[in-house]
Amino acid sequence: MKFGTLSGIVGKTALAGMMAGALMAGSAAAETLRLSQNTGDTTTWQKGAEKFGELVAEATDGDFKVRVFPNAQLAGGDQMKQAEMVGRGAIDLVVSSAINVTPLVPEMAAFSLPYLYADYAQVDATTQGEPGKILSEILKEKGIIVLAWGENGFREVTNNVRPITGPEDMKGLRMRVAGPMYIDVMNALGANPQQMQWSETLTALQQGVVDGQENPIGAVIIPQQVYEMQKYLTTWHYSYDPIFLGISQAKWDSFDDETKAKFQAAADEAMAYQREISREATATGVEFLREQGVEVYEPTAEELAAFKAATQPAFDKWAEMVGPELVGAFQTAIAAAQ
């Protein structure tokens, strides 16, 4: 073998090694961010989070990846703890509902005050309008940057004991609830509220530990197959629950402006997608549930008024707690959307 040939082979080998090293370095430079969300891996929460991850990876040419953890795994199953962990930088990203953040930020309960909203237009006027901006600023004080608002939806009630047609039907029912405000709502209706992590709820329903629960149709009841464990559903639309996609301020501050813009655009698109698929699933959900054998009751306007009157004490208590000025901002936005 001639020296020139050997040197050529060595040179090519060295070049190949350098290229492989560069590829490995590029791969090593990719940063994986961890995103925690409350519900199972079949929900619109999960789909919205995964969509966000796909868009981030695409926009950053793979420099950033998002790994989604369902069922609040990163918080040991404690959905109330996730936001606090994001605030101190222990988790990078979170998709959580407003009501799950009330232990950290009581003002978040404003979104879910009983019978505050009549339709989606009123909802969007608050989540995408001034009230959403106000709550985002409050969350920022806790170290959480809200990138975009999504949707859990209007919460409907299910149970295994009897049809719910009026407030008196709630008396004595053991109802799983997600947070403190809903405890007061259920107490006002004469029910027996049981605060419980979502990761524990399906088992509790199967075993009869609780009689029922309340959650949105499209975002939770159908994808989590709650209908397989519950006989009755009432579309009482008693409370609305938004979700938000948030990032740790420490992580956000580590980004340059270009990266921030890419993450923001990805969040906006992902949560718009999540709201869309949640509403589509809700629109077709009632008929689907009937086909699955669930007895669905749709209250009249007069019956809804009775539920509203019965839950007024809870509304008044929590309106005072979140602050009249904030509630006024919600009511102003809602009135403008009517």
Side-chain angles (χ1 to χ4, degrees):
M1 181 181 292
K2 294 182 179 179
F3 178 77
T5 304
L6 178 61
S7 64
I9 293 172
V10 172
K12 290 178 181 178
T13 303
L15 179 61
M18 290 172 63
M19 291 176 65
L23 287 171
M24 289 178 67
S27 176
E31 183 176 356
T32 298
L33 305 181
R34 300 187 305 163
L35 185 155
S36 183
Q37 65 95 359
N38 298 0
T39 63
D41 60 8
T42 61
T43 64
T44 64
W45 298 42
Q46 179 80 9
K47 291 176 182 177
E50 289 174 347
K51 181 74 168 178
F52 172 70
E54 293 167 7
L55 292 168
V56 164
E58 180 182 345
T60 64
D61 295 323
D63 287 343
F64 289 92
K65 298 179 180 178
V66 176
R67 184 179 176 190
V68 181
F69 294 82
N71 294 315
Q73 292 174 20
L74 298 181
D78 189 342
Q79 59 198 44
M80 298 290 187
K81 192 177 179 182
Q82 291 175 117
E84 178 268 329
M85 292 180 70
V86 172
R88 57 183 168 86
I91 299 175
D92 300 307
L93 294 146
V94 69
V95 171
S96 186
S97 71
I99 204 65
N100 289 138
V101 188
T102 53
L104 182 67
V105 180
E107 294 91 339
M108 290 288 276
F111 285 110
S112 301
L113 289 168
Y115 293 102
L116 179 65
Y117 300 105
D119 54 40
Y120 287 131
Q122 294 179 11
V123 164
D124 292 342
T126 60
T127 58
Q128 313 305 315
E130 188 61 26
K133 294 176 183 177
I134 294 171
L135 269 302
S136 295
E137 284 300 314
I138 295 174
L139 280 165
K140 186 176 180 180
E141 295 171 3
K142 302 295 184 180
I144 302 167
I145 303 297
V146 175
L147 296 176
W149 295 93
E151 178 161 286
N152 196 21
F154 283 103
R155 304 178 75 97
E156 317 295 13
V157 63
T158 69
N159 83 103
N160 262 341
V161 178
R162 55 181 170 265
I164 305 299
T165 63
E168 65 282 355
D169 295 320
M170 293 295 297
K171 286 183 169 51
L173 293 183
R174 295 167 299 168
M175 298 297 301
R176 178 268 176 182
V177 295
M181 189 189 74
Y182 293 136
I183 291 176
D184 290 334
V185 171
M186 291 298 165
N187 282 331
L189 291 166
N192 180 11
Q194 310 284 322
Q195 187 167 338
M196 186 180 297
Q197 300 294 335
W198 181 250
S199 58
E200 303 168 351
T201 300
L202 296 179
T203 300
L205 290 170
Q206 288 174 327
Q207 297 177 348
V209 174
V210 291
D211 298 314
Q213 60 85 57
E214 43 75 56
N215 257 305
I217 291 173
V220 177
I221 290 174
I222 291 176
Q224 295 277 261
Q225 298 177 310
V226 175
Y227 56 84
E228 293 185 352
M229 308 156 206
Q230 299 275 265
K231 298 176 183 176
Y232 307 103
L233 180 143
T234 295
T235 56
W236 64 350
H237 313 318
Y238 88 118
S239 181
Y240 177 82
D241 192 21
I243 62 175
F244 68 91
L245 171 55
I247 187 169
S248 161
Q249 179 154 20
K251 180 58 65 178
W252 183 249
D253 290 345
S254 73
F255 295 160
D256 59 29
D257 288 345
E258 183 180 358
T259 302
K260 287 179 179 177
K262 290 175 178 178
F263 268 69
Q264 184 63 66
D268 289 339
E269 183 175 341
M271 288 296 97
Y273 163 77
Q274 190 275 334
R275 290 195 305 274
E276 180 182 358
I277 61 175
S278 287
R279 292 179 185 184
E280 287 175 353
T282 297
T284 59
V286 169
E287 188 57 37
F288 172 83
L289 292 171
R290 285 194 168 115
E291 290 171 358
Q292 303 308 307
V294 177
E295 185 175 318
V296 178
Y297 186 78
E298 300 180 79
T300 64
E302 291 77 13
E303 288 166 336
L304 289 174
F307 281 119
K308 182 176 182 178
T311 56
Q312 191 66 42
F315 183 105
D316 294 340
K317 175 182 176 179
W318 281 85
E320 184 63 30
M321 287 176 64
V322 303
E325 185 176 345
L326 179 58
V327 174
F330 272 77
Q331 291 171 331
T332 298
I334 288 168
Q338 288 179 341

